Amino acid sequence: MFLSGPRARMRSLACVSLVVAIVLTFVLMIVFGMRSDYDEMHPFVAELLPAGHCLCHASSNFECGSCLEQDRCAVSSNATNFAPADDEWVYTYGRDDGDESLTPDQCGAAFPGLFEDVDRAVDRRSNDPITSQELANLKMYKGMVRAMIYEGELYVIAVRCMGEDHRQKVIGTLQSIHRAISVIPRRREMPNIEFAFTIEDMADDPSVPIWALTKRSKDESVWLMPDFGFWSWNREGIGPYSQIASDIIEREQIEPWEKKEKRLVWRGKLSFAPKLRRALLNVAKNKSWSDVRALRWWSTESMENDFVSSVDQCKYMFIAHAEGRSYSAGLKYKQTCHSVIVAHKLQWFQNFHYLMVSKGPQQNFVEVERDFSDLPDVMEDLLRNPEKARKIADNNVKTFRERYLTPAAQSCYWRALFHGWAKVSFRPELYEQTKDGQKQRRGVRFERFVLFESKDHLSYP
């Protein structure tokens, strides 16, 4: 017998209200889980968390390990083991790592494999050159800059920032570009180029030709540029990369490999990649080899008790790496330590990630599954085989701290990016016509832009 009238309507309303309440409860639990930075979470809520930008079962294949083979390039700080001819220049750590004025030939000899992403991008656009219309049609999202190098000078054409963090990253990137240009002999002879870049964690539209800090293997239109942090990063315990490297080297003279703690360290904000990072936290929980903890930036107690600086993390033999919203900018600081980097299969990569080798004689990091399910077995193996762990840590230092993360390497990469882009892009004009027919120079020289008041850096023009 079917009910009708007021009673039926009340029952229907009650059913609808129950369904709405259940849906809202699920939504609130997911929102809470994604935004929470607390270590503990109910397993049911943790299971509901979406993967976000860091997919739990996806990774990129970007290894360029052949670049590190002894017959192709020297990763050892002892360059003499190659017995070059007297007139053959060979990169030497301690002499060349801080030289930002290496010639193109020297850059190629010193850093094979570093320009892999530029080479791939050039190949992709060789038959389909980048046009001025493509750049003109770019939507200027927050965190984006449009700029030009004309007769060896850097011009800022347009900037869109959202807050002080964006502003500092934009200035750091422009400073890096300007420094790479400034050391070029006869720089007025370099090709004129116009380009756009973003300092966001990912390109808002990866289908357009843009320079970015990171990308996935499928983002073929994105050209990778060096991280702003190589200039400097205004965060607790960081600053200029070269200063961090010097501090780490000084620290490890006091605390060499033999004195390092035989534990795995990781600190991070869980809400940047809740499912991925909580997997690391859960797998490492209560393990004797673990010093893995969440960091709550807003908590004075957490910052006082849990914070580990970029230099202090080097006291550990093993350092874990986990991606964030996309890539994690902290990896370069970890790779500067004489430690074993333990990283899950990466989905997002930077310009120097092609040199990460997970197996073989040149292995310079240890790779685990994205859910960290094999982490306990990996750690037990490393602890049982200290010579194996030491060899990986040695390769990490020789590959990254002593070569591919140096100021010389980053300057070489910037210039390779300029020239690669020029091969497949249009030549910009320095002047444009105003609405009233007057001739007007486009943009403003970087040297002037950098002196603007901070508020004027946020949106230009």
Side-chain angles (χ1 to χ4, degrees):
M1 180 178 180
F2 294 100
L3 295 175
S4 60
R7 291 180 62 190
R9 287 194 294 273
M10 289 182 64
R11 180 168 293 183
S12 298
L13 182 61
C15 290
V16 171
S17 298
L18 178 61
V19 171
V20 170
I22 292 173
V23 171
L24 284 175
T25 300
F26 272 78
V27 170
L28 289 173
M29 284 193 294
I30 292 172
V31 171
F32 167 76
M34 291 181 67
R35 295 185 176 181
S36 174
D37 286 315
Y38 285 99
D39 297 11
E40 300 297 331
M41 178 176 289
H42 193 282
F44 178 71
V45 178
E47 190 63 30
L48 290 175
L49 294 179
H53 297 290
C54 282
L55 304 179
C56 287
H57 300 290
S59 60
S60 295
N61 179 16
F62 52 81
E63 188 171 297
C64 189
S66 61
C67 302
L68 300 180
E69 293 174 1
Q70 288 283 2
D71 61 344
R72 291 191 56 185
C73 64
V75 295
S76 170
S77 57
N78 179 16
T80 57
N81 59 3
F82 286 86
D86 292 340
D87 59 349
E88 183 180 345
W89 182 90
V90 175
Y91 173 86
T92 304
Y93 176 70
R95 181 194 67 186
D96 304 311
D97 49 290
D99 187 351
E100 297 174 275
S101 62
L102 297 181
T103 68
D105 286 345
Q106 289 173 333
C107 287
F111 310 114
L114 180 60
F115 317 112
E116 180 73 15
D117 197 75
V118 175
D119 293 340
R120 293 186 183 192
V122 169
D123 287 344
R124 183 176 181 274
R125 293 304 299 251
S126 59
N127 296 318
D128 180 25
I130 297 163
T131 65
S132 58
Q133 195 59 47
E134 278 187 274
L135 229 56
N137 291 340
L138 286 182
K139 181 178 179 180
M140 289 292 291
Y141 293 97
K142 297 294 185 182
M144 283 182 59
V145 174
R146 189 168 169 182
M148 170 174 61
I149 298 173
Y150 196 91
E151 293 186 349
E153 302 293 352
L154 177 60
Y155 291 82
V156 179
I157 297 173
V159 179
R160 298 291 181 269
C161 292
M162 184 175 65
E164 180 63 12
D165 182 61
H166 271 191
R167 188 193 74 82
Q168 292 180 8
K169 291 176 180 178
V170 163
I171 294 298
T173 302
L174 289 170
Q175 289 278 17
S176 295
I177 294 173
H178 185 258
R179 178 166 61 183
I181 297 170
S182 300
V183 297
I184 300 174
R186 300 184 301 279
R187 69 189 196 197
R188 290 172 63 89
E189 298 175 7
M190 68 180 293
N192 299 330
I193 58 172
E194 186 172 338
F195 54 93
F197 69 79
T198 177
I199 49 77
E200 266 289 10
D201 288 345
M202 64 195 79
D204 287 280
D205 184 359
S207 67
V208 299
I210 189 170
W211 299 1
L213 302 169
T214 186
K215 70 177 184 180
R216 299 159 295 187
S217 56
K218 68 179 183 179
D219 299 331
E220 294 182 337
S221 294
V222 175
W223 296 55
L224 290 177
M225 66 179 184
D227 192 316
F228 56 86
F230 284 108
W231 176 265
S232 189
W233 196 7
N234 188 24
R235 284 286 181 87
E236 182 72 24
I238 306 183
Y241 171 79
S242 58
Q243 182 64 65
I244 293 293
S246 296
D247 291 346
I248 288 173
I249 292 170
E250 184 177 334
R251 171 70 171 264
E252 291 187 332
Q253 289 175 346
I254 302 171
E255 294 178 351
W257 172 262
E258 295 78 12
K259 294 184 178 180
K260 290 178 181 281
E261 291 189 29
K262 297 179 181 178
R263 293 194 293 163
L264 177 77
V265 66
W266 181 83
R267 297 291 188 272
K269 186 174 171 64
L270 293 178
S271 56
F272 279 169
K275 202 173 191 73
L276 185 72
R277 293 185 168 193
R278 284 187 182 280
L280 168 60
L281 204 70
N282 293 335
V283 169
K285 188 175 181 180
N286 297 326
K287 298 293 192 297
S288 60
W289 43 258
S290 171
D291 189 3
V292 173
R293 300 185 216 172
L295 196 62
R296 299 186 295 278
W297 292 354
W298 45 266
S299 167
T300 302
E301 180 183 4
S302 177
M303 293 301 289
E304 288 179 351
N305 298 329
D306 301 324
F307 178 77
V308 176
S309 72
S310 297
V311 176
D312 289 339
Q313 67 183 337
C314 298
K315 72 179 182 180
Y316 295 86
M317 277 192 178
F318 311 100
I319 306 176
H321 173 70
E323 291 175 326
R325 289 186 63 235
S326 58
Y327 82 118
S328 174
L331 178 57
K332 59 184 174 294
Y333 306 116
K334 298 172 183 180
Q335 290 173 316
T336 308
C337 300
H338 186 205
S339 301
V340 176
I341 308 305
V342 180
H344 58 75
K345 293 179 178 178
L346 299 176
Q347 181 187 7
W348 297 86
F349 57 101
Q350 296 177 267
N351 66 307
F352 58 89
H353 286 188
Y354 289 94
L355 286 308
M356 294 177 68
V357 181
S358 61
K359 56 185 178 293
Q362 300 298 333
Q363 181 178 3
N364 51 39
F365 84 110
V366 174
E367 186 176 70
V368 296
E369 297 298 328
R370 283 186 70 82
D371 62 1
F372 295 97
S373 56
D374 55 341
L375 180 60
D377 290 339
V378 166
M379 286 303 303
E380 292 298 333
D381 176 64
L382 290 170
L383 290 168
R384 283 196 306 267
N385 298 280
E387 290 305 314
K388 173 183 176 180
R390 174 67 183 265
K391 177 63 174 176
I392 296 171
D394 289 348
N395 285 341
N396 175 53
V397 166
K398 292 174 183 178
T399 303
F400 294 107
R401 185 168 85 192
E402 296 185 358
R403 187 174 287 263
Y404 289 94
L405 296 182
T406 60
Q410 298 311 309
S411 186
C412 282
Y413 185 90
W414 275 116
R415 297 198 298 277
L417 178 58
F418 303 154
H419 286 275
W421 183 267
K423 288 179 181 178
V424 294
S425 182
F426 66 98
R427 293 295 177 265
E429 297 292 337
L430 181 60
Y431 292 92
E432 62 185 355
Q433 275 197 337
T434 62
K435 292 180 179 179
D436 58 1
Q438 298 297 311
K439 186 178 180 181
Q440 174 180 283
R441 184 183 287 112
R442 301 174 63 216
V444 62
R445 279 275 293 273
F446 168 71
E447 294 91 335
R448 181 184 172 198
F449 176 81
V450 77
L451 297 179
F452 285 1
E453 291 187 27
S454 294
K455 62 181 178 61
D456 295 327
H457 288 153
L458 300 179
S459 182
Y460 174 82

